Amino acid sequence: MKARHPSALICACLAVALGSPAALLAQTRLSYEGNVGTTNPHPNPGFQSFGEGIARGDFDGNGVDDLVILESTNSRMRVMRGQAWTVGTGSIVIKFISASVDTPGHNGRVATGDFDGDGSDEIALGYPAQGFNGLSEVGKVSILRRAPNGTWATQATIRIGTDGYAGSSPLENDSLGNALASGDFDDDGYDDLAMGADGRTVSGQARAGSVLVAYGSASGLGPARSMLWNRFSSDVGAGVEANDDFGATLAVADFTGDGPDDIVIGVTSARCPNDERGGSVIILRGSAGGLTSTNSRAYFAGVDGTPGTCAEGNRFGRSLATGRFNDDARPDLAIGSQGTPEERGNVTVLASGTTGPGPNSSRYFRGSDLPTPLTGAGSSAIGYVLAAGRLRGTGTLDSLVMGVPYDDVNGVGDAGSTWVIHPAASGSGLSLTGVERWVQDSRLALEPMGTAFGDRFGSSLAVGDFNGDGRHDLAVGAVYRGEPETHSGAVQFVYQSEFIFSDGFD
């Protein structure tokens, strides 16, 4: 989806803006005005982790962004179609038209894209745990399309090595669909789909991992020109090793501005040049013929000018996001890592040049750099989940969103927090000046008694214009909302508006 940036309860959120300069406060930004939250609407919602997977798209072609929400029950999804309305009108408006839809299965993995070029997005569901022909965890990806009458049907079912798709045959533990990302890799106007299979055995090496790419057309995704990539075929001078997890994460952007989108592949357990398994990120270039290994590039933390340290268990690439964080007109790349316990995770942001992302003008954010310290278990770390979008005004630069679902908030364990880092006013890149921390408190109708144990607010993220006012908004999953009694899950919408509150927190 290139060139598109990326029954309800009335509720509010607490935003803490730290060090915000007056110039930034004069702009529109996220606020609690008009917020809505949706809890799990299904019968018997207990222990279903509503919000486990969320993705933005426009499924009805009305120009207002919609949201698809998944839970741990793998036979259904919730589709919330956004409607045009104005924040601060003071009247009751229909903010979403929602429906539950039966699915052919998923494991909370979801992406969207206009694979048939009809102006409306389809939904791709990853089901990496599904068996096939007596083999366990082969995985599949299903493409669902909404008809004009509002019904949903499966447009395609994709497995490695079947029905003409690339690969010799499905293998046990392929786990196809563990990660999904869409983009136009050949610049033909149809979105294409990249599908992680991080458990696939390659050249006898278990869990070396692969990525299957299928191309869009007027009839949707199909096997023509599909290709199965692995660490060896990506041509970055690295052999295939067991447990590399090539394809654990995926992201898409046109880093060089040449038209076709490029793909970012997380290889979260790759061996570094220092022999530690700290992880790697590989970029394959798009071209008129589709993805190519020509000029592909691998990145390691602490190598060739990339910030950080290539340490065992760092999991460089555990999360990925792309956005235009500076004013050079090219998307940049944000890479999340586990980091050390002292760091509380880290995020490396590589600015793009004429040849793509590189260490020049890079940024390196550690959890320990944030104005409010992260607390809780070792998994309380930035870089757990990332997203990007224009969350400060209607300009052209993106903010970076970091979900920290295991953060303890005011002593409440695993309540979770979500941080928003904005671009500097100079356009030079992201800056911790004016960073926002969002947590749930008693103003949030989802938690009227205050921040709750185990909500894991920030466990999933999506950015989109959900009310059609030209400003990006933020959707945040709290997948264990209701813990310990039910953890049925919830999703919070935070809208951007001119209603900037001032009550001691700004």
Side-chain angles (χ1 to χ4, degrees):
M1 297 182 295
K2 186 170 53 179
R4 285 189 291 164
H5 272 326
S7 41
L9 299 175
I10 301 299
C11 58
C13 268
L14 168 63
V16 184
L18 299 153
S20 304
L24 292 180
L25 290 176
Q27 303 179 44
T28 60
R29 72 176 216 207
L30 297 172
S31 76
Y32 62 79
E33 181 72 26
N35 287 345
V36 294
T38 180
T39 56
N40 195 321
H42 300 116
N44 304 314
F47 304 100
Q48 297 305 321
S49 301
F50 186 70
E52 183 170 331
I54 60 178
R56 173 203 61 81
D58 184 2
F59 309 128
D60 51 13
N62 70 348
V64 180
D65 284 332
D66 312 316
L67 193 74
V68 56
I69 305 174
L70 305 184
E71 54 178 348
S72 58
T73 294
N74 60 26
S75 60
R76 63 194 182 196
M77 63 182 179
R78 187 73 168 174
V79 177
M80 302 183 67
R81 292 189 290 125
Q83 305 299 302
W85 60 278
T86 302
V87 176
T89 57
S91 59
I92 298 176
V93 296
I94 298 175
K95 299 179 179 179
F96 291 96
I97 297 176
S98 304
S100 294
V101 179
D102 293 335
T103 76
H106 62 79
N107 284 130
R109 276 64 165 186
V110 60
T112 65
D114 185 4
F115 305 120
D116 56 12
D118 66 351
S120 298
D121 289 325
E122 288 77 56
I123 295 175
L125 298 177
Y127 194 0
Q130 193 194 49
F132 181 69
N133 282 351
L135 302 175
S136 63
E137 298 190 25
V138 168
K140 71 173 183 179
V141 175
S142 302
I143 310 301
L144 276 68
R145 180 180 185 275
R146 183 179 184 272
N149 65 2
T151 61
W152 288 82
T154 301
Q155 191 179 48
T157 300
I158 302 172
R159 292 185 180 89
I160 294 174
T162 64
D163 299 322
Y165 284 98
S168 57
S169 64
L171 300 177
E172 190 155 275
N173 299 319
D174 274 348
S175 300
L176 180 68
N178 67 271
L180 301 168
S182 69
D184 189 355
F185 304 130
D186 53 5
D187 201 26
D188 65 352
Y190 300 101
D191 278 342
D192 313 309
L193 184 65
M195 299 158 274
D198 65 347
R200 187 166 175 87
T201 297
V202 179
S203 300
Q205 303 299 306
R207 290 201 63 84
S210 299
V211 172
L212 178 65
V213 176
Y215 289 88
S217 68
S219 57
L221 292 174
R225 299 188 297 134
S226 64
M227 186 166 182
L228 192 63
W229 295 87
N230 57 53
R231 198 176 179 199
F232 178 76
S233 64
S234 62
D235 195 28
V236 290
V240 172
E241 285 195 64
N243 301 309
D244 273 348
D245 292 333
F246 181 96
T249 53
L250 298 168
V252 169
D254 178 11
F255 294 114
T256 59
D258 61 352
D261 282 325
D262 311 311
I263 187 170
V264 189
I265 302 172
V267 194
T268 53
S269 296
R271 193 178 301 278
C272 302
N274 65 3
D275 210 38
E276 300 281 342
R277 282 190 173 268
S280 175
V281 167
I282 291 174
I283 295 182
L284 301 180
R285 305 299 184 192
S287 72
L291 290 175
T292 173
S293 61
T294 302
N295 296 321
S296 60
R297 184 171 177 181
Y299 303 80
F300 300 88
V303 177
D304 295 331
T306 299
T309 303
C310 216
E312 191 80 21
N314 188 42
R315 297 197 67 203
F316 186 67
R318 67 173 293 171
S319 58
L320 302 166
T322 61
R324 188 183 167 205
F325 304 128
N326 61 43
D327 59 7
D328 70 355
R330 298 184 184 93
D332 309 308
L333 174 62
I335 305 169
S337 302
Q338 178 69 33
T340 65
E342 294 76 22
E343 284 184 315
R344 290 290 182 179
N346 59 67
V347 176
T348 299
V349 181
L350 301 178
S352 287
T354 56
T355 60
N360 293 334
S361 302
S362 62
R363 296 287 192 276
Y364 186 66
F365 302 105
R366 300 168 297 182
S368 56
D369 295 330
L370 298 176
T372 300
L374 302 179
T375 58
S379 52
S380 170
I382 65 172
Y384 189 91
V385 58
L386 299 175
R390 298 190 309 270
L391 294 174
R392 178 61 63 83
T394 56
T396 58
L397 298 187
D398 292 315
S399 303
L400 179 66
V401 189
M402 306 182 300
V404 191
Y406 293 93
D407 191 15
D408 293 353
V409 178
N410 298 326
V412 180
D414 293 351
S417 63
T418 298
W419 295 76
V420 185
I421 302 178
H422 298 290
S426 64
S428 59
L430 297 172
S431 170
L432 287 176
T433 300
V435 64
E436 297 177 34
R437 183 193 190 214
W438 287 82
V439 300
Q440 298 184 99
D441 78 342
S442 59
R443 305 183 196 193
L444 180 61
L446 292 176
E447 295 296 357
M449 301 305 293
T451 301
F453 168 75
D455 274 356
R456 298 186 188 175
F457 181 77
S459 47
S460 56
L461 301 168
V463 176
D465 180 7
F466 300 115
N467 66 331
D469 64 356
R471 300 168 179 146
H472 282 178
D473 314 305
L474 177 63
V476 183
V479 298
Y480 269 33
R481 190 261 179 185
E483 172 78 18
E485 292 81 8
T486 62
H487 66 72
S488 57
V491 175
Q492 171 70 46
F493 292 88
V494 186
Y495 292 96
Q496 189 180 170
S497 76
E498 298 174 353
F499 290 83
I500 307 303
F501 65 94
S502 179
D503 55 3
F505 294 104
D506 283 343

